[in-house]
Short mmCIF file of all heavy atoms in Angstrom, two decimals:
data_model
loop_
_atom_site.label_atom_id
_atom_site.label_comp_id
_atom_site.label_asym_id
_atom_site.label_seq_id
_atom_site.Cartn_x
_atom_site.Cartn_y
_atom_site.Cartn_z
N SER A 9 8.77 7.46 -14.87
CA SER A 9 8.12 8.64 -14.29
C SER A 9 7.34 8.20 -13.07
O SER A 9 7.14 6.99 -12.84
CB SER A 9 7.16 9.27 -15.31
OG SER A 9 6.06 8.39 -15.52
N ARG A 15 1.45 2.94 -12.16
CA ARG A 15 1.02 1.79 -12.98
C ARG A 15 1.76 0.52 -12.55
O ARG A 15 1.19 -0.57 -12.52
CB ARG A 15 1.25 2.09 -14.46
CG ARG A 15 0.25 3.10 -15.01
CD ARG A 15 0.39 3.29 -16.52
NE ARG A 15 1.56 4.07 -16.89
CZ ARG A 15 1.60 5.40 -16.90
NH1 ARG A 15 0.55 6.10 -16.58
NH2 ARG A 15 2.70 6.02 -17.26
N LEU A 17 2.83 -0.10 -9.53
CA LEU A 17 2.19 -0.51 -8.28
C LEU A 17 0.86 -1.22 -8.54
O LEU A 17 0.52 -2.17 -7.83
CB LEU A 17 1.98 0.69 -7.35
CG LEU A 17 3.25 1.20 -6.67
CD1 LEU A 17 3.00 2.55 -6.01
CD2 LEU A 17 3.78 0.18 -5.66
N GLU A 39 8.69 0.03 1.98
CA GLU A 39 8.72 1.06 3.02
C GLU A 39 9.92 1.99 2.80
O GLU A 39 9.80 3.21 2.95
CB GLU A 39 8.79 0.43 4.40
CG GLU A 39 8.94 1.41 5.55
CD GLU A 39 7.76 2.34 5.75
OE1 GLU A 39 6.64 2.02 5.29
OE2 GLU A 39 7.95 3.41 6.37
N HIS A 40 11.06 1.44 2.45
CA HIS A 40 12.26 2.23 2.18
C HIS A 40 11.99 3.25 1.06
O HIS A 40 12.33 4.43 1.18
CB HIS A 40 13.41 1.29 1.81
CG HIS A 40 14.60 1.96 1.21
ND1 HIS A 40 15.51 2.69 1.96
CD2 HIS A 40 15.05 2.00 -0.07
CE1 HIS A 40 16.46 3.15 1.17
NE2 HIS A 40 16.20 2.75 -0.07
N ALA A 58 26.90 19.82 4.48
CA ALA A 58 26.66 20.70 3.34
C ALA A 58 27.78 20.56 2.30
O ALA A 58 27.53 20.60 1.09
CB ALA A 58 26.54 22.15 3.81
N THR A 63 29.26 18.76 -3.13
CA THR A 63 30.34 18.20 -3.96
C THR A 63 29.99 16.79 -4.41
O THR A 63 29.37 16.61 -5.46
CB THR A 63 31.69 18.22 -3.19
OG1 THR A 63 31.54 17.52 -1.95
CG2 THR A 63 32.14 19.65 -2.92
N LEU A 64 30.35 15.80 -3.62
CA LEU A 64 30.13 14.40 -4.00
C LEU A 64 28.66 14.07 -4.22
O LEU A 64 28.30 13.37 -5.18
CB LEU A 64 30.72 13.47 -2.95
CG LEU A 64 32.24 13.51 -2.79
CD1 LEU A 64 32.69 12.66 -1.61
CD2 LEU A 64 32.92 13.08 -4.07
N GLY A 76 20.45 8.48 -16.66
CA GLY A 76 19.05 8.05 -16.60
C GLY A 76 18.90 6.78 -15.80
O GLY A 76 17.95 6.02 -15.98
N ILE A 86 18.05 4.58 4.70
CA ILE A 86 18.26 6.02 4.74
C ILE A 86 18.80 6.34 6.13
O ILE A 86 18.23 5.90 7.14
CB ILE A 86 16.94 6.77 4.48
CG1 ILE A 86 16.42 6.45 3.07
CG2 ILE A 86 17.12 8.28 4.67
CD1 ILE A 86 14.99 6.86 2.82
N PRO A 90 13.38 5.46 10.36
CA PRO A 90 12.82 4.41 11.22
C PRO A 90 13.13 3.02 10.66
O PRO A 90 13.32 2.85 9.45
CB PRO A 90 11.31 4.69 11.17
CG PRO A 90 11.20 6.13 10.79
CD PRO A 90 12.38 6.41 9.90
N GLN A 110 1.47 9.69 -4.31
CA GLN A 110 0.31 10.57 -4.51
C GLN A 110 0.49 11.87 -3.72
O GLN A 110 0.21 12.96 -4.23
CB GLN A 110 -0.98 9.88 -4.08
CG GLN A 110 -1.41 8.79 -5.03
CD GLN A 110 -2.57 7.96 -4.50
OE1 GLN A 110 -2.73 7.79 -3.30
NE2 GLN A 110 -3.37 7.43 -5.41
N ALA A 116 2.50 21.00 -2.75
CA ALA A 116 2.87 22.30 -3.32
C ALA A 116 3.84 23.07 -2.42
O ALA A 116 4.27 24.15 -2.79
CB ALA A 116 1.61 23.14 -3.56
N ALA A 124 21.77 13.30 0.76
CA ALA A 124 23.06 13.21 0.08
C ALA A 124 23.20 14.22 -1.05
O ALA A 124 24.27 14.80 -1.24
CB ALA A 124 23.28 11.81 -0.46
N ALA A 131 11.28 18.95 -10.10
CA ALA A 131 11.49 18.03 -11.23
C ALA A 131 12.64 17.07 -10.93
O ALA A 131 12.55 15.88 -11.23
CB ALA A 131 11.76 18.81 -12.51
N LEU A 139 14.15 7.27 -10.41
CA LEU A 139 15.38 6.48 -10.59
C LEU A 139 15.62 5.55 -9.40
O LEU A 139 16.09 4.41 -9.58
CB LEU A 139 16.58 7.40 -10.79
CG LEU A 139 16.58 8.27 -12.06
CD1 LEU A 139 17.81 9.17 -12.08
CD2 LEU A 139 16.50 7.42 -13.31
N ASP A 146 15.25 -3.77 -9.86
CA ASP A 146 16.24 -4.80 -10.17
C ASP A 146 16.19 -5.96 -9.19
O ASP A 146 16.60 -7.07 -9.52
CB ASP A 146 17.66 -4.21 -10.14
CG ASP A 146 17.92 -3.24 -11.26
OD1 ASP A 146 17.22 -3.30 -12.30
OD2 ASP A 146 18.84 -2.41 -11.12
N VAL A 151 6.89 -14.30 -8.00
CA VAL A 151 7.03 -15.76 -7.77
C VAL A 151 5.72 -16.44 -8.12
O VAL A 151 4.66 -15.94 -7.87
CB VAL A 151 7.40 -16.03 -6.31
CG1 VAL A 151 7.63 -17.52 -6.10
CG2 VAL A 151 8.61 -15.26 -5.91
#
Side-chain angles (χ1 to χ4, degrees):
S9 68
R15 287 186 286 276
L17 285 168
E39 176 65 21
H40 167 75
T63 56
L64 295 174
I86 297 166
Q110 287 171 331
L139 295 177
D146 292 337
V151 184

